[in-house]
Amino acid sequence: MQNNQMLNHIMDCIDSQKEPIIDRWMADNALSALFAKYEVSKEYFAKHIASQLFDMVVESIKTGIKATDYDGLSHLITFANAKAIKFHQLILLKDALFFAIVDVMYARGVFSKKAFDELSAIFSEIHKEVSEYILSKNVDFKAVYELEGQKNFRL
């Protein structure tokens, strides 16, 4: 990451706008269609999954810790499998989050072309890392949900 001071400032701004970013994220049309198709409550998803994913992304960028080291990712995988959401459909989450961040930060005047490019590159790295992690798992997440997840998920 070329300009850590700029990136740290941007990440602090993004972190301070968590609620409006998640609201914008959950309002995405493609994501709304996905939620409707799989009968997912936006409110539940925002509170129990999106919030953790947002924190995971922000902390991963701030600290350099791999995104795959956070519990929020396992929570998402278990939830997606319990709802039979396909892997390729999860890409909508990443795209919608990225554009929600861009929209909110641009509206607040803290986003430049350089910041956009840097954040775009970081999101690409996180997407690759998370995709490889998900695809490398040889776990029946539906069974995990049935054995353990029912007490944690209200579907």
Side-chain angles (χ1 to χ4, degrees), residues 99-116:
F99 288 113
I101 290 171
V102 170
D103 285 350
V104 171
M105 292 296 95
Y106 183 76
R108 283 164 178 67
V110 294
F111 234 59
S112 64
K113 170 74 169 121
K114 186 174 181 175
F116 175 86

Side-chain angles (χ1 to χ4, degrees), residues 1-38:
M1 291 174 219
Q2 298 167 354
N3 189 345
N4 279 343
Q5 188 174 19
M6 177 189 72
L7 184 60
N8 287 337
H9 171 70
I10 291 168
M11 293 315 300
D12 288 342
C13 292
I14 289 170
D15 201 14
S16 73
Q17 296 299 309
K18 179 179 179 176
E19 189 174 323
I21 289 171
I22 290 176
D23 289 346
R24 173 65 189 93
W25 186 13
M26 295 299 102
D28 180 84
N29 290 336
L31 204 53
S32 294
L34 182 70
F35 289 160
K37 178 178 180 177
Y38 290 99

Side-chain angles (χ1 to χ4, degrees), residues 25-122:
W25 186 13
M26 295 299 102
D28 180 84
N29 290 336
L31 204 53
S32 294
L34 182 70
F35 289 160
K37 178 178 180 177
Y38 290 99
E39 299 177 355
V40 174
S41 161
K42 280 187 186 184
E43 294 76 21
Y44 176 85
F45 192 89
K47 182 177 179 183
H48 297 285
I49 297 173
S51 181
Q52 287 183 354
L53 293 175
F54 178 90
D55 292 343
M56 176 192 80
V57 168
V58 169
E59 285 305 309
S60 178
I61 294 170
K62 281 183 171 182
T63 64
I65 295 173
K66 287 187 168 197
T68 56
D69 292 341
Y70 291 93
D71 289 337
L73 186 56
S74 294
H75 194 160
L76 170 66
I77 293 167
T78 304
F79 181 83
N81 279 281
K83 287 294 206 173
I85 298 171
K86 294 171 180 55
F87 170 75
H88 72 275
Q89 293 169 314
L90 295 177
I91 294 169
L92 288 173
L93 290 172
K94 185 241 347 151
D95 292 345
L97 173 58
F98 177 76
F99 288 113
I101 290 171
V102 170
D103 285 350
V104 171
M105 292 296 95
Y106 183 76
R108 283 164 178 67
V110 294
F111 234 59
S112 64
K113 170 74 169 121
K114 186 174 181 175
F116 175 86
D117 290 345
E118 181 131 3
L119 196 60
S120 181
I122 290 168

